[in-house]
Amino acid sequence: MKWKKYTIETTTAAEDFMSSMLMDLGIEGIEIEDNIPLTKEDQADMFIDFLPELPPDEGISHVSFYVEEDGSDQTEILKQVKIGLEKLRDMVEVGSGVITSSETEDLDWINNWKKYFTSFTIDDILIKPTWEELKEEDKDKFLIEIDPGISFGTGKHETTQLCIRQLQKYVEGKHPKVLDVGCGSGILSIVALKLGAREVVGTDLDADCMTSTRDNMQVNHLDLSLGTFYVGNLIDDEELQEKVGTEEYEIVVANILAPVIIAMAPVIPARLKQGGYFITSGIIDFKENEVKEAIEAAGLTVVEINHQGEWVNITAQKQ
């Protein structure tokens, strides 16, 4: 299979905004190239003795995305990207914005990325890929093992970490029933169960996520009867809304994207019990107010807003 690679020349200040815009358009497989020096933490994660010498950081970044050559309306996609790029100019210096293209052959993307996913901690939680041996000194730690497969969710992204910290705060000692919207690899469902949730229900648009989630539950020695998972869109699928249930959850968690959260907000209060919490992330910082307003318009009260890098968590309550 051949893919068309499109590369946008932009600035390092705009690269996260650019990535968020592309994700909002449904584009996946985004790649960022820049010459920003690595932090000590980044260097430690890479396990490389001698880093290559990079050219000076001149604030230039190249953000690339891939479009399948067959079956994709590339003209329409490029049109939407250019519109999004122009909108970003009102918020941040995007640089030249020149878009170039090239062809690339299909690669083993599903497995090649694994060399970049290594064990790490979120506070006192150790998250380890299934293919990595558990170190002797880590055997007594609070452990989550994950193989995302082709689903989103290793836990390394800031948005996932924001949600995990909120689950720690609102799940431990309370044994809630949790709804995980956009469950991906199942990492948030698994964290919730291991923190003490009595049951989880998950939804995702991708049927592969059901397999990933159940496989990861088994890897973490969790009883499969504790989780029920459905394929579908909670926003407008009334049959799915009925299956998920009304006023059944102490917690709904959604690590998706700002436009999806905005569209979903009106159906969340009906899922929550009185006093229940909606924990959400996937929100780039310049969309914080828009998402907050949508959540409040749905009748929920925002009780916490947390930031990590340029990403935002909003936690709201049904009062």
Side-chain angles (χ1 to χ4, degrees):
M1 183 186 299
K2 287 190 174 182
W3 299 75
K4 198 83 169 181
K5 178 181 179 181
Y6 292 97
T7 300
I8 307 169
E9 184 176 274
T10 185
T11 66
T12 52
E15 59 189 22
D16 278 346
F17 295 88
M18 198 75 69
S19 298
S20 178
M21 179 270 288
L22 293 172
M23 287 190 289
D24 288 350
L25 293 175
I27 293 171
E28 300 176 355
I30 297 164
E31 178 182 295
I32 297 174
E33 298 175 80
D34 58 39
N35 293 325
I36 297 175
L38 294 172
T39 65
K40 289 182 179 179
E41 290 79 9
D42 290 335
Q43 293 178 36
D45 286 343
M46 293 177 72
F47 299 101
I48 297 175
D49 292 328
F50 299 99
L51 292 170
E53 187 172 341
L54 296 174
D57 176 22
E58 297 179 346
I60 297 173
S61 177
H62 293 88
V63 179
S64 300
F65 61 94
Y66 296 83
V67 179
E68 189 178 337
E69 285 203 332
D70 297 328
S72 298
D73 187 349
Q74 296 185 38
T75 302
E76 179 60 25
I77 290 172
L78 279 177
K79 177 183 174 182
Q80 293 302 317
V81 169
K82 289 175 181 177
I83 291 171
L85 195 155
E86 292 307 310
K87 287 181 179 177
L88 286 182
R89 289 188 188 277
D90 296 331
M91 306 176 193
V92 65
E93 173 56 52
V94 301
S96 71
V98 171
I99 303 175
T100 56
S101 65
S102 60
E103 284 187 356
T104 180
E105 294 291 336
D106 194 12
L107 302 172
D108 187 11
W109 290 342
I110 292 175
N111 290 305
N112 284 354
W113 65 272
K114 288 184 176 180
K115 59 188 175 184
Y116 301 109
F117 178 25
T118 56
S119 295
F120 67 102
T121 57
I122 302 174
D123 299 333
D124 59 347
I125 297 176
L126 173 67
I127 296 181
K128 181 186 81 64
T130 55
W131 55 87
E132 188 177 284
E133 287 292 324
L134 182 64
K135 297 174 184 175
E136 188 66 34
E137 62 266 28
D138 292 333
K139 289 190 174 178
D140 293 329
K141 290 185 178 177
F142 188 108
L143 176 65
I144 304 289
E145 294 192 271
I146 290 291
D147 183 351
I150 59 175
S151 304
F152 175 82
T154 64
K156 276 207 165 183
H157 198 276
E158 290 95 331
T159 61
T160 314
Q161 294 184 29
L162 284 162
C163 286
I164 287 174
R165 288 192 174 96
Q166 292 303 93
L167 286 173
Q168 279 186 288
K169 181 172 184 177
Y170 291 98
V171 170
E172 281 185 314
K174 302 176 180 70
H175 309 296
K177 183 175 181 180
V178 176
L179 173 62
D180 182 2
V181 185
C183 58
S185 67
I187 185 168
L188 295 180
S189 291
I190 290 163
V191 168
L193 286 170
K194 296 199 80 168
L195 287 170
R198 68 179 184 275
E199 181 183 351
V200 296
V201 174
T203 70
D204 204 287
L205 299 177
D206 188 347
D208 288 325
C209 294
M210 306 299 105
T211 303
S212 294
T213 297
R214 291 191 173 280
D215 287 349
N216 284 319
M217 283 183 68
Q218 290 181 308
V219 165
N220 286 276
H221 311 292
L222 293 168
D223 187 339
L224 292 180
S225 68
L226 296 175
T228 306
F229 301 94
Y230 301 106
V231 178
N233 189 341
L234 193 65
I235 294 170
D236 54 13
D237 187 336
E238 293 182 3
E239 184 178 346
L240 178 61
Q241 292 172 11
E242 188 175 337
K243 287 178 181 177
V244 165
T246 302
E247 295 191 343
E248 288 198 13
Y249 303 92
E250 285 84 6
I251 293 175
V252 176
V253 61
N255 181 27
I256 314 181
L257 291 170
V260 182
I261 297 166
I262 290 167
M264 184 194 302
V267 305
I268 296 301
R271 314 279 79 81
L272 285 168
K273 289 183 176 181
Q274 205 70 23
Y277 291 94
F278 181 35
I279 297 170
T280 187
S281 192
I283 308 160
I284 194 73
D285 54 10
F286 67 86
K287 292 193 176 181
E288 176 184 324
N289 287 335
E290 192 178 349
V291 176
K292 178 176 177 288
E293 288 169 5
I295 289 172
E296 290 174 334
L300 300 178
T301 301
V302 172
V303 294
E304 271 193 74
I305 297 178
N306 299 291
H307 298 83
Q308 187 171 338
E310 292 179 320
W311 297 95
V312 183
N313 150 254
I314 298 176
T315 300
Q317 187 177 29
K318 180 177 179 178
Q319 295 181 339

